[in-house]
Amino acid sequence: MLILERLRDDIAVISDEKVEFTVPADMAAGCKEGDVIYLSGEVYVTDTAATEMRKKEILSLQNSLWDE
């Protein structure tokens, strides 16, 4: 699973579970920080369903910290 970690000037920082790498920011145009992305041709595209699932999982983990 690739995650767009951050956008800085003209660089996009992308990570998977093991490695972090950079690509030109225009390759991730339209993607937001925290999105699950995939390579489609020569650009990265947001996987909307996977991004929503990841957000729900993170929210569930956060909420479990408050449950006793």
Side-chain angles (χ1 to χ4, degrees):
M1 176 184 321
L2 298 175
I3 308 295
L4 178 58
E5 294 294 338
R6 59 191 172 276
L7 292 167
R8 295 289 181 257
D9 301 319
D10 59 346
I11 293 176
V13 179
I14 299 171
S15 69
D16 65 11
E17 285 92 30
K18 300 174 187 168
V19 181
E20 189 173 272
F21 59 95
T22 61
V23 298
D26 60 347
M27 287 183 68
C31 300
K32 298 179 298 196
E33 293 178 350
D35 282 355
V36 177
I37 59 176
Y38 62 92
L39 188 59
S40 177
E42 295 184 12
V43 297
Y44 287 92
V45 178
T46 299
D47 183 334
T48 307
T51 298
E52 284 303 313
M53 186 183 319
R54 182 173 180 263
K55 286 180 182 179
K56 287 178 183 179
E57 289 172 1
I58 291 169
L59 184 58
S60 177
L61 287 170
Q62 286 177 322
N63 289 337
S64 72
L65 294 174
W66 309 118
D67 293 339
E68 292 188 22

